[in-house]
Amino acid sequence: MVTWLLLSLIGIPLLGGALAGLIRHDRLRDALVILSSVLIAAGGIAVVALSLTGTSGEVWSLSVPAGWSPIGDALEGIIILVILGIAIRIRNIWVALFSVLQLLLCVATYMTGTPNHEASFVLFRIDNLTRIMLLVSCCVGPAILIFSIGYMKHHHSKAPDAGGPGRFFLFLIGFLGFMIGLVVSNQLAYFSFFWEATTLCSYALIGHDGGDARRVNAVRALLINSFGGVALMLGIFLLKYKTGGETFDELLHSGNITILAAIMMCLGAFTKSALFPFQSWLLGAMVAPTPVSAMLHAATMVKAGVYLVMRITPGFTSDSRVMMCVAFAGSLSFLGGALLACTQRNGKKILAYSTISNLGLVVACAGIDSPIAYAAGLSIISFHALSKGLLFLCMGRIESHIGSRDVEDMDGLMFKMPFTSVVMLLGMMSMLLPPFGMLMSKWLAIEATIRSPFLLVFMVMGSALTVFFWAKWIGRVQHSGYHEFLPREKIDLTMRISLGLMAVMVLITGLLAMGIFIRVFIPMAETVFPASHGGDDLREFGSFSAVGIFCAVLLGILLHYLVVWRRFKRKWVSLPFVCGENVSMEDIEKNEEVKSYDFHSVGGKIEHSHVTSYYFRGIIDEQRVSGLLTFLAWLIILLLVGITFKIIG
Amino acid sequence: MTMSFQTVFNFCCKDPYISSILLLILAPVLGGLLQGLDRKITARMQGRYGPPLLQPFYDIIKLFAKEPMALHRPQTVYATLHLVFMMVAVVLLAQGSDLLMLLFVQAFSVICLVLGGMSVRSPYSWIGSQRKILLMLALEPILLLLILAVNLKTDSFLGSSVMKLNHPLLLSMPLFFLAFLCVVAIEWEKSPFDLATSHHAHQEIVKGITLEYSGPFLGLIEVAHCYEVAFFFGLMMAFWHTNLMFSLLLGSGGFLFLILLDNAFSRLTPNWVLRYMWTVPLSLALVNLIWLWE
């Protein structure tokens, strides 16, 4: 039963995407997208529920005869040839080189090792980690698809080589299918097929709107991800060559040799998740239409990289130096992303740097040898996907309404777009405050860092910086004058439904965050780290009554509502203080452009004041700091690879 | 019954509700008295008589009696949230709960005030808020390192686990205490760190964050400030938890030092504060942390 559900869960998005690409009629295509979204969401939840038969830690697997193995290799080869074809068409030598290398490695993997004709192997495997990834992809993905229906109606690109909505949905829906295949695959050839397919979708979608800048950024994404693909295939080849193993199980249960394979795959994961030094493609990918940014570059595709790291972490827990390097690489990205996000004015770039920062935190958690940290990493993956997806969607809506991505232009948004502003504020608050999941995970990650001294400094600085840029942005969105009532915002039904759905999901999971953490993530982490390190118990980790805090806050808000909000009178409202030089009512009536908060300047001239936020201008230069961090990150990678070679002797 | 921290903690754990209510009433009284003492001593240092000791209370009562004025509704919500979160932080501290969560709650209280300042169309208020988040950026790493250092000593993140130590924290974390004094100076808005707002409205951005608050809403913020003063005084006392007399002495010593600092130094610029806090106190904290490492 689960088998058929799973196969259709992979097949329906691919089929739906293909159909969406072919259909010309707009409304029919929209209906198809909605149908696919609903089916994917329902299918994903059904698969997760049905595969849970009995105790937690239960692993559902699908075994197939050995004859399926070459099919996986063939699929891999086909997709690499497709990328090679693209490289030749766009005449990019590096992508072509990487594709040729991948092809060689693919052929070498196929030919090496002892062919075992009788043995069957596990093709698909659903364990708890996969279940979480499935839930994330199948709940966030469809919401984003529904949003993009409304979004693409108003989104027109002027470039001559822009693609149409059909091509857009072909790749966007198809991508979901590949993502689902990626998280359930156990056999490495199939895994890398899905991995390369997501790279392809990313390339197609970044360049969707056409134009030179987008083409360049799409190629950059393809380049860096191809490099990651080479690293991944190298790891797979090494595994097969040394141990004859082809699946994740065999990767995790063999000895020292496989650490090198695991590290190579980690490197591939770093490129996919855009950690330093591979961050430039994600920043460049912000030129894509916003649903693409939400789906690929926040909620799902970049999560594939950290998913891989989480999955192979048990493979190198044996060596603490390797773990330390991985944790270092992660926390460098955590700090660097937060630092650079403080200097940005472009909303999408802030979100991109924030994503890099959070993904770095997940990798750092994976590198800290503790079940609490691992659980924190899992919870960051889930909560971050929800919140960041929501924020990107709101960003897209805001951009299409006010025509700008600059945070400073979001002044007075509360009055212009109340619904979107409130949802956006909810999203931003969910990244910052208790009891929402992100803060809880950060809390636990910092508590787990106590084991690793040098990471402490990075975590602590990064955590402080994170608050800085979110607070600036939240303040700017709320910056407004007095209004009697908020107008009703005119927004497409699909966009409204999608934003509302995501907001409800964020709210509910946020309120239940601590409970989810204790009941779901901790048991999962304990299956990965069976020998409990020093008896770290969540119970021991500081109890505080989250419910108590929440009730106190609710009580305060309720009292405020009864005593102040409802009795707020017009005569309480006054004008801001500008040293007594406020404009008078006649000035406002005489001139339409004069606002109530303007003031009389020198010679009675009416001036409008606008104060921007603090962006560390002249102190932090994005290029130089970025360059420095990239350099440091490459040093860490060299260290990592060197140590691994030393271990295997 | 000997009065000591242990008895207070036991009382709080046995009777969480009654102790919380008592605490919520007594803490602002302590905070207000400290503020009144502060103003009196500062005045004497400057050769004046100074206001009566209970002046902060008279001010708060006066504020609540005034006619309410605000710029818009959300601004008032933030004042309430600021107060509520500060009250929660004080209760959490007294119950000895998780220190890291305590830090986050207190930080969030300050963020509410900052957002309140940014939600209105007032240039001075906006600049004050920006400076306040810069100040928070400057002091958060030190507080986080302090909590991690306490964990190194006690193997737990719970505040109540500090009670089990035989020796006072000051003996093993002296540099941390110095860094912590700088942090308290920032939180209490003492010169040289009175960039965002200060007691007196004679700085270049008038009164900064709290400029657009008046009447009962400013009263709420002043009450929250009383809680904040008591909160940090309590934390200073916690550095000598073994003996109540010495801990009071330590707290008073720190308090007097901060008054001296306030009167001696002039205001720094935001960049200067950030550079200073991330070099000198942060290095002191790191060195102390390394001392504590096995």
Side-chain angles (χ1 to χ4, degrees):
Chain A
M1 177 66 195
V2 186
T3 316
W4 291 114
L5 260 179
L6 191 57
L7 287 174
S8 55
L9 195 58
I10 301 179
I12 285 179
L14 294 176
L15 185 64
L19 281 176
L22 293 172
I23 294 178
R24 297 262 165 232
H25 191 213
D26 278 344
R27 298 192 80 146
L28 195 58
R29 185 176 46 230
D30 292 347
L32 177 67
V33 172
I34 296 179
L35 182 66
S36 316
S37 313
V38 171
L39 285 176
I40 293 172
I45 297 177
V47 165
V48 169
L50 288 175
S51 69
L52 273 173
T53 53
T55 59
S56 155
E58 166 94 18
V59 173
W60 175 92
S61 50
L62 170 71
S63 294
V64 295
W68 281 69
S69 172
I71 298 182
D73 294 314
L75 281 172
E76 225 184 328
I78 293 174
I79 199 105
I80 298 174
L81 282 171
V82 169
I83 296 182
L84 185 59
I86 294 175
I88 295 175
R89 185 162 60 91
I90 63 175
R91 293 196 171 75
N92 187 305
I93 184 108
W94 285 104
V95 181
L97 179 68
F98 290 142
S99 305
V100 165
L101 275 173
Q102 283 182 283
L103 204 57
L104 288 174
L105 284 167
C106 179
V107 169
T109 316
Y110 178 65
M111 298 208 299
T112 193
T114 51
N116 198 342
H117 291 293
E118 292 86 37
S120 66
F121 64 94
V122 174
L123 176 62
F124 289 145
R125 192 167 181 275
I126 303 182
D127 63 359
N128 281 327
L129 178 59
T130 310
R131 285 191 191 106
I132 291 190
M133 292 297 296
L134 270 180
L135 276 177
V136 163
S137 307
C138 296
C139 293
V140 176
I144 297 177
L145 282 177
I146 296 178
F147 179 88
S148 50
I149 298 174
Y151 182 81
M152 290 312 276
K153 283 202 181 52
H154 306 291
H155 183 85
H156 305 291
S157 171
K158 295 177 208 60
D161 54 341
R167 178 179 182 272
F168 181 79
F169 283 111
L170 165 72
F171 283 109
L172 199 62
I173 307 179
F175 162 79
L176 261 184
F178 292 132
M179 185 69 197
I180 294 172
L182 196 153
V183 299
V184 297
S185 292
N186 189 40
Q187 220 263 15
L188 287 170
Y190 283 86
F191 178 80
S192 70
F193 160 65
F194 287 120
W195 183 276
E196 296 299 331
T198 59
T199 303
L200 190 65
C201 288
S202 181
Y203 166 74
L205 285 169
I206 294 175
H208 177 80
D209 277 342
D212 284 332
R214 296 192 179 92
R215 230 189 343 259
V216 166
N217 283 313
V219 170
R220 184 183 301 148
L222 190 61
L223 178 69
I224 296 183
N225 279 311
S226 296
F227 174 73
V230 171
L232 186 68
M233 307 239 31
L234 187 61
I236 296 176
F237 168 69
L238 280 169
L239 182 68
K240 187 110 186 271
Y241 180 66
K242 292 283 186 181
T243 64
E246 287 188 308
T247 62
F248 275 119
D249 305 318
E250 283 147 33
L251 176 67
L252 299 180
H253 297 134
S254 307
N256 256 345
I257 310 299
T258 51
I259 290 187
L260 184 60
I263 293 301
M264 284 297 133
M265 293 174 75
C266 247
L267 214 58
F270 283 6
T271 59
K272 182 68 85 177
S273 289
L275 299 182
F276 283 85
F278 309 113
Q279 84 283 9
S280 54
W281 77 262
L282 188 63
L283 295 163
M286 291 298 126
V287 295
T290 312
V292 173
S293 299
M295 177 90 90
L296 268 69
H297 307 134
T300 36
M301 191 178 95
V302 292
K303 295 283 186 294
V306 290
Y307 159 76
L308 183 60
V309 174
M310 290 299 235
R311 185 163 294 288
I312 62 184
T313 298
F316 46 81
T317 48
S318 50
D319 196 277
S320 63
R321 283 169 298 176
V322 169
M323 292 284 263
M324 179 75 86
C325 280
V326 168
F328 246 119
S331 38
L332 184 69
S333 294
F334 177 53
L335 178 61
L339 184 64
L340 290 169
C342 293
T343 65
Q344 292 297 319
R345 279 175 72 140
N346 183 327
K348 280 182 93 172
K349 282 243 175 102
I350 297 179
L351 291 176
Y353 273 121
S354 170
T355 303
I356 295 173
S357 175
N358 281 305
L359 292 173
L361 185 59
V362 176
V363 171
C365 285
I368 301 170
D369 199 12
S370 146
I372 296 286
Y374 192 81
L378 291 171
S379 73
I380 296 177
I381 291 180
S382 334
F383 292 118
H384 177 256
L386 274 174
S387 302
K388 212 35 94 56
L390 177 64
L391 283 172
F392 264 110
L393 293 183
C394 293
M395 189 65 218
R397 163 91 187 114
I398 291 172
E399 189 193 348
S400 62
H401 191 96
I402 65 176
S404 160
R405 289 178 183 176
D406 194 338
V407 168
E408 300 301 322
D409 290 336
M410 293 188 200
D411 202 58
L413 210 63
M414 198 54 127
F415 183 67
K416 290 185 216 155
M417 310 167 61
F419 177 74
T420 311
S421 299
V422 168
V423 171
M424 181 134 195
L425 282 175
L426 180 67
M428 291 198 279
M429 300 276 197
S430 74
M431 299 288 294
L432 255 195
L433 31 122
F436 290 106
M438 286 301 302
L439 187 83
M440 293 313 192
S441 327
K442 219 178 297 183
W443 170 64
L444 283 151
I446 293 180
E447 294 203 340
T449 327
I450 194 73
R451 309 195 156 280
S452 313
F454 298 108
L455 289 186
L456 271 181
V457 182
F458 282 26
M459 293 287 231
V460 150
M461 311 270 263
S463 165
L465 283 164
T466 309
V467 173
F468 186 77
F469 65 83
W470 286 123
K472 270 193 299 178
W473 199 351
I474 296 177
R476 179 57 75 189
V477 168
Q478 291 191 85
H479 194 232
S480 67
Y482 174 73
H483 297 285
E484 290 273 357
F485 58 90
L486 289 175
R488 194 168 160 74
E489 184 181 344
K490 287 220 303 237
I491 177 174
D492 260 7
L493 185 64
T494 49
M495 290 207 268
R496 189 188 287 272
I497 290 178
S498 169
L499 287 177
L501 205 62
M502 296 273 295
V504 166
M505 279 198 286
V506 165
L507 198 58
I508 293 183
T509 53
L511 296 176
L512 300 175
M514 216 49 208
I516 296 178
F517 194 88
I518 295 178
R519 247 162 262 139
V520 176
F521 294 125
I522 291 280
M524 282 180 58
E526 272 159 10
T527 58
V528 171
F529 288 81
S532 204
H533 293 252
D536 281 328
D537 208 358
L538 186 70
R539 268 66 67 184
E540 209 179 85
F541 253 88
S543 48
F544 66 95
S545 177
V547 176
I549 298 179
F550 191 58
C551 287
V553 174
L554 272 185
L555 189 64
I557 294 181
L558 187 67
L559 279 174
H560 178 91
Y561 175 73
L562 292 172
V563 173
V564 177
W565 190 281
R566 278 193 340 174
R567 301 185 345 182
F568 200 88
K569 297 178 184 46
R570 186 74 176 81
K571 72 172 165 112
W572 289 3
V573 177
S574 65
L575 290 173
F577 179 76
V578 278
C579 301
E581 299 288 346
N582 298 77
V583 294
S584 54
M585 284 306 293
E586 294 103 48
D587 293 316
I588 300 178
E589 277 154 22
K590 259 193 284 181
N591 188 345
E592 264 198 18
E593 282 172 7
V594 170
K595 307 273 184 197
S596 60
Y597 45 89
D598 288 346
F599 64 99
H600 289 290
S601 172
V602 176
K605 181 165 165 258
I606 295 181
E607 290 275 7
H608 181 69
S609 80
H610 180 77
V611 192
T612 59
S613 313
Y614 198 77
Y615 291 108
F616 292 104
R617 289 261 178 280
I619 302 178
I620 300 180
D621 176 33
E622 188 192 347
Q623 297 288 69
R624 291 181 66 180
V625 172
S626 216
L628 177 67
L629 288 169
T630 308
F631 175 68
L632 285 174
W634 273 117
L635 281 183
I636 295 181
I637 289 186
L638 282 175
L639 210 64
L640 183 62
V641 174
I643 288 180
T644 318
F645 270 111
K646 191 157 182 258
I647 293 173
I648 63 176
Chain B
M1 178 180 76
T2 50
M3 190 59 181
S4 75
F5 282 105
Q6 191 62 52
T7 46
V8 172
F9 272 135
N10 291 341
F11 177 48
C12 289
C13 294
K14 258 199 303 236
D15 254 331
Y17 297 110
I18 300 184
S19 65
S20 305
I21 295 178
L22 269 180
L23 194 66
L24 289 176
I25 299 174
L26 290 176
V29 170
L30 174 68
L33 280 174
L34 281 171
Q35 281 187 292
L37 208 59
D38 180 344
R39 289 171 76 168
K40 196 77 173 170
I41 298 177
T42 305
R44 289 299 160 103
M45 273 187 186
Q46 294 171 353
R48 307 182 270 121
Y49 268 126
L53 200 67
L54 297 179
Q55 186 63 34
F57 299 108
Y58 301 149
D59 286 340
I60 292 178
I61 295 173
K62 176 197 78 175
L63 282 172
F64 277 110
K66 290 183 96 160
E67 185 189 321
M69 262 170 65
L71 262 61
H72 57 32
R73 282 179 182 174
Q75 185 198 24
T76 58
V77 180
Y78 283 116
T80 310
L81 281 178
H82 174 62
L83 177 61
V84 168
F85 275 105
M86 198 55 85
M87 286 160 79
V88 169
V90 168
V91 170
L92 282 181
L93 177 64
Q95 290 181 338
S97 0
D98 189 281
L99 287 174
L100 201 55
M101 190 47 63
L102 181 68
L103 172 69
F104 286 141
V105 169
Q106 193 268 337
F108 191 61
S109 165
V110 179
I111 291 178
C112 281
L113 188 62
V114 164
L115 291 177
M118 286 207 273
S119 68
V120 287
R121 285 196 182 282
S122 163
Y124 293 125
S125 179
W126 179 273
I127 297 178
S129 298
Q130 292 287 314
R131 289 181 177 182
K132 190 72 179 171
I133 24 180
L134 263 181
L135 288 176
M136 285 188 65
L137 179 63
L139 64 86
E140 253 194 62
I142 297 169
L143 283 179
L144 282 165
L145 287 178
L146 176 64
I147 294 173
L148 291 168
V150 169
N151 182 295
L152 280 179
K153 286 288 296 178
T154 65
D155 265 328
S156 159
F157 277 100
L158 291 178
S160 54
S161 65
V162 171
M163 291 291 110
K164 302 194 188 77
L165 293 175
N166 289 324
H167 300 291
L169 284 174
L170 185 65
L171 293 181
S172 46
M173 309 208 296
L175 299 180
F176 261 116
F177 187 71
L178 291 176
F180 187 64
L181 277 181
C182 293
V183 168
V184 179
I186 296 181
E187 294 271 11
W188 283 3
E189 286 140 18
K190 295 252 167 257
S191 181
F193 306 116
D194 58 344
L195 307 163
T197 180
S198 68
H199 299 295
H200 333 285
H202 58 56
Q203 49 164 335
E204 72 270 25
I205 52 172
V206 199
K207 207 164 184 295
I209 304 184
T210 49
L211 174 63
E212 303 295 349
Y213 283 98
S214 61
F217 308 119
L218 186 59
L220 288 173
I221 295 181
E222 289 300 323
V223 173
H225 191 66
C226 288
Y227 277 105
E228 193 172 18
V229 168
F231 180 80
F232 282 102
F233 190 76
L235 278 177
M236 277 202 291
M237 278 172 66
F239 272 85
W240 202 296
H241 62 274
T242 46
N243 186 325
L244 193 63
M245 263 289 289
F246 280 125
S247 75
L248 269 174
L249 269 176
L250 187 65
S252 319
F255 178 65
L256 288 172
F257 174 73
L258 288 174
I259 297 177
L260 186 62
L261 193 72
D262 190 12
N263 280 306
F265 286 89
S266 60
R267 188 178 309 135
L268 297 177
T269 60
N271 286 337
W272 199 338
V273 173
L274 199 60
R275 270 185 300 153
Y276 170 71
M277 289 301 286
W278 275 26
T279 48
V280 179
L282 192 65
S283 319
L284 287 178
L286 280 172
V287 166
N288 208 144
L289 196 68
I290 295 174
W291 284 358
L292 291 170
W293 213 277
E294 294 100 49

